[in-house]
Amino acid sequence: MAQDPAPKHLTITLDFDLQTANSTVSEARVRAAYRAAAEAALAAATEQLPEGSIKEVTAELDWSYRWIGEPEVLFTRDGQG
């Protein structure tokens, strides 16, 4: 009897660093950019992957402010952080 193939997942992360002088980016524009990016990623994956290989696609929108842009190393295995 044939075995089911092992599940494989492709995760794509897009991080848009938005900087607008003296302005903010509206929620409508953020959502539109998110939808456009998700649709473009799906179209590209559909074109490149074997037909019928995409079982499910999920997308997530996270809108946040980052006040500090420099990550701090809190721990490294060799104790150098």
Side-chain angles (χ1 to χ4, degrees):
M1 181 170 15
Q3 288 184 320
D4 288 334
K8 300 175 184 104
H9 292 263
L10 169 64
T11 301
I12 301 168
T13 303
L14 300 173
D15 186 359
F16 295 90
D17 184 355
L18 305 175
Q19 297 178 357
T20 54
N22 301 321
S23 179
T24 59
V25 179
S26 71
E27 178 185 353
R29 285 187 173 187
V30 169
R31 288 190 182 279
Y34 161 73
R35 280 193 298 274
E39 289 170 5
L42 179 56
T46 301
E47 181 180 316
Q48 296 299 320
L49 297 171
E51 185 176 335
S53 65
I54 299 174
K55 179 179 176 183
E56 180 180 46
V57 175
T58 58
E60 179 180 335
L61 171 63
D62 177 24
W63 175 245
S64 63
Y65 290 91
R66 297 181 193 156
W67 300 111
I68 299 174
E70 298 177 15
E72 179 181 354
V73 176
L74 300 177
F75 173 80
T76 60
R77 186 173 295 275
D78 63 6
Q80 298 296 317

